[in-house]
Amino acid sequence: MSIPTTSTPRAAATPRQSLSQAWSGRAFRALLATLSRPGHVEQVPAPGFLRATVPPACWLPLALASRGTAIALPGVASATCDEIAEHTGARITGPARAELIAYARSPRAGELLELARGDAAAPEQGASAAIDVAAIHPPSTDQPHPRPSPV
């Protein structure tokens, strides 16, 4: 899922601030469109109540998590994880046990295979993951392409 984002630095949230219903609705609709139509790109507005350092991949749990939802935030600072948990009521866990995962770093080899997967009878049992596009590393130019093009 590729989600271009807009970001404006804002002041840090106070404990009394909560998610804006308007922002949550816009972000939810944009994320639902990207999840339901692979390859579709949506613009997600930056949540104004968070610190500017929150990676855009973290907006997935901010928009979709509810109280008690298991979320994992690999590569996200501990203070940011706490802030997201406070705003959503979600509980932080490891990726293998999470319903929503937001990668602020590139996933390690095989790491995505450890995530919960649904099946034909219960697709909702599978985890949803967002990977911050800025965290995806381009292929090294030192290595030949695994499938060379025919000459």
Side-chain angles (χ1 to χ4, degrees):
M1 165 170 57
S2 174
I3 305 171
T5 57
T6 57
S7 182
T8 305
R10 304 281 181 177
T14 65
R16 291 192 179 100
Q17 285 180 310
S18 62
L19 293 171
S20 150
Q21 286 183 344
W23 178 84
S24 293
R26 285 191 308 274
F28 178 82
R29 285 187 297 279
L31 291 168
L32 187 60
T34 61
L35 291 170
S36 65
R37 297 184 303 200
H40 181 76
V41 177
E42 283 283 331
Q43 189 77 20
V44 178
F49 55 87
L50 294 174
R51 297 183 319 271
T53 57
V54 175
C58 291
W59 302 353
L60 174 75
L62 277 170
L64 303 180
S66 59
R67 188 165 304 284
T69 301
I71 63 173
L73 306 167
V76 177
S78 179
T80 302
C81 292
D82 293 342
E83 184 179 9
I84 290 170
E86 178 184 332
H87 281 290
T88 62
R91 58 189 171 80
I92 306 295
T93 186
R97 294 183 169 183
E99 298 167 60
L100 298 172
I101 303 99
Y103 285 95
R105 60 162 174 77
S106 295
R108 291 192 222 36
E111 192 171 20
L112 295 176
L113 296 175
E114 298 172 2
L115 303 181
R117 286 180 265 174
D119 57 30
E124 69 279 1
Q125 297 298 318
S128 294
I131 301 171
D132 196 354
V133 174
I136 297 174
H137 300 287
S140 171
T141 56
D142 298 338
Q143 300 293 324
H145 191 278
R147 285 187 247 158
S149 56
V151 180

